[in-house]
């Protein structure tokens, strides 16, 4: 299976390097840390039973409407290549406001060839993380998919092609729910060509878990911020050094200033 295409853009888009701790926590399949699916690949975290990082390609010019390929009859299910005990499954998601949140969005993967296979592959639990429904669902104004929607709407995006990397921020401070540590933040790195030049930008997205019980995440509600790519080594256990020269500079913020909100980002 082809998985994430590292030659999808005019410039190569290599996988990030895993830190030693992230590599030790990975769940290899057939001797490789990266597990391939149609249009995406991922690395599983053994300790957290979810993906540490997912890499996927979007061909905006070939994207099909979401209703062109149905999801009816496709169940969320474990990937048989990964031990079931190392995947979070349905028990976590019953009778609460936690969604089975796709890391690589189903809507991003529906392009030919292999659109039907990508649609089905997106429902493996290896591509799913616990996301509050207000964070995940577009019908509720969820943040998770708005970033790529906004980027694909930009006319100067070369060939409407984007490579994405994303995943949860896994920390020892994540609150426990049903015995599972729930991430309170997620990140995305976008790599693309804009006006013919390669660019990369990272974002940090926070989700609130207030509705799941007291003291889970009692602070800020939904926020989306630009994030220096170099910081992904610390928060994600991944080294994206290959993309540092492509990064759009952050605005002139004082060191103590908050991250740049999404609405002020300049592609």
């Amino acid at each position: 299976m082809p998985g994430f295409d590292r030659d999808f853009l005019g410039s190569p888009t290599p996988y990030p390097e895993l830190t030693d701790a992230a590599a030790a926590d990975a769940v290899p399949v057939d001797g490789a840390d990266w597990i391939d699916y149609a249009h995406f690949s991922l690395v599983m975290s053994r300790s957290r039973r979810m993906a540490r990082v997912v890499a996927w390609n979007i061909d905006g010019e070939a994207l099909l409407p979401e209703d062109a390929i149905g999801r009816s009859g496709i169940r969320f299910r474990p990937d048989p290549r990964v031990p079931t005990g190392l995947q979070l499954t349905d028990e976590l998601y019953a009778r609460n406001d936690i969604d089975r949140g796709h890391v690589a969005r189903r809507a991003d993967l529906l392009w030919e060839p292999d659109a039907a296979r990508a649609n089905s592959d997106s429902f493996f639990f290896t591509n799913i993380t616990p996301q509050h429904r207000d964070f995940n669902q577009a019908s509720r104004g969820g943040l998770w998919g708005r970033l790529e929607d906004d980027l694909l709407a930009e006319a100067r995006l070369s060939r409407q092609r984007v490579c994405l990397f994303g995943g949860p921020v896994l920390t020892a401070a994540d609150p426990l729910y049903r015995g599972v540590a729930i991430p309170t933040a997620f990140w995305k790195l976008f790599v693309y060509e804009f006006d013919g030049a390669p660019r990369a930008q990272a974002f940090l997205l926070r989700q609130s878990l207030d509705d799941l019980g007291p003291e889970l995440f009692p602070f800020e509600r939904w926020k989306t911020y630009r994030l220096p790519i170099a910081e992904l080594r610390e928060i994600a256990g991944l080294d994206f050094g290959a993309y540092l020269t492509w990064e759009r500079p952050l605005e002139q913020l004082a060191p103590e200033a908050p991250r740049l909100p999404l609405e002020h980002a300049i592609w």
Side-chain angles (χ1 to χ4, degrees):
M1 192 178 305
F4 175 75
D5 184 354
R6 287 166 280 181
D7 296 313
F8 194 66
L9 303 180
S11 304
T13 55
Y15 286 135
E17 294 183 15
L18 276 65
T19 62
D20 290 345
D25 188 47
V27 180
V29 168
D30 295 330
D33 292 334
W34 288 89
I35 307 170
D36 290 337
Y37 302 85
H39 300 330
F40 68 101
S41 302
L42 55 84
V43 176
M44 288 291 290
S45 164
R46 179 182 301 272
S47 61
R48 298 293 293 270
R49 296 184 289 159
M50 65 182 79
R52 176 179 296 276
V53 55
V54 182
W56 68 104
N57 307 111
I58 305 177
D59 187 342
E61 293 181 348
L63 270 178
L64 302 174
E66 282 197 66
D67 58 0
I69 299 178
R71 56 186 296 169
S72 177
I74 301 177
R75 298 177 60 87
F76 291 95
R77 62 207 187 277
D79 184 334
R81 297 174 295 175
V82 176
T84 302
L86 299 181
Q87 303 175 64
L88 295 176
T89 53
D90 282 323
E91 292 80 3
L92 175 64
Y93 301 98
R95 302 178 303 280
N96 55 35
D97 290 332
I98 299 181
D99 275 357
R100 301 166 182 84
H102 289 67
V103 181
R105 290 195 313 165
R106 186 181 82 93
D108 292 348
L109 304 173
L110 300 184
W111 49 273
E112 297 292 0
D114 298 325
R117 178 64 180 270
N119 179 53
S120 177
D121 283 359
S122 74
F123 286 88
F124 281 120
F125 278 118
T126 49
N127 183 45
I128 303 302
T129 52
Q131 296 182 3
H132 193 284
R133 62 181 183 178
D134 291 344
F135 177 83
N136 177 51
Q137 296 179 24
S139 62
R140 294 175 174 270
L143 293 176
W144 186 241
R146 279 172 40 196
L147 286 161
E148 46 260 59
D149 289 344
D150 289 347
L151 180 54
L152 287 169
E154 171 53 60
R156 289 184 292 169
L157 181 66
S158 302
R159 296 191 298 160
Q160 293 293 298
R161 287 194 166 197
V162 183
C163 294
L164 283 92
F165 302 88
V169 179
L170 305 176
T171 77
D174 288 338
L176 289 177
Y177 178 74
R178 296 184 179 176
V180 175
I182 306 294
T184 59
F186 293 79
W187 59 274
K188 280 186 176 179
L189 173 66
F190 292 74
V191 185
Y192 51 94
E193 292 182 346
F194 190 82
D195 282 346
R199 290 200 182 161
Q201 290 193 80
F203 292 86
L204 181 71
L205 304 93
R206 297 191 181 277
Q207 69 168 336
S208 171
L209 302 173
D210 292 350
D211 297 342
L212 299 179
E215 299 181 358
L216 277 177
F217 194 60
F219 306 112
E220 49 193 337
R221 190 65 177 170
W222 316 117
K223 288 193 184 275
T224 305
Y225 288 126
R226 284 279 306 276
L227 179 74
I229 293 174
E231 292 190 14
L232 287 174
R233 182 177 181 87
E234 294 300 322
I235 71 168
L238 304 162
D239 188 341
F240 284 97
Y243 299 102
L244 291 177
T245 60
W246 298 359
E247 185 170 21
R248 182 74 171 182
L250 295 174
E251 304 300 331
Q252 297 300 311
L253 297 176
E256 67 276 7
R259 299 285 180 229
L260 184 66
L262 172 62
E263 55 266 29
H264 298 302
I266 301 174
W267 298 110

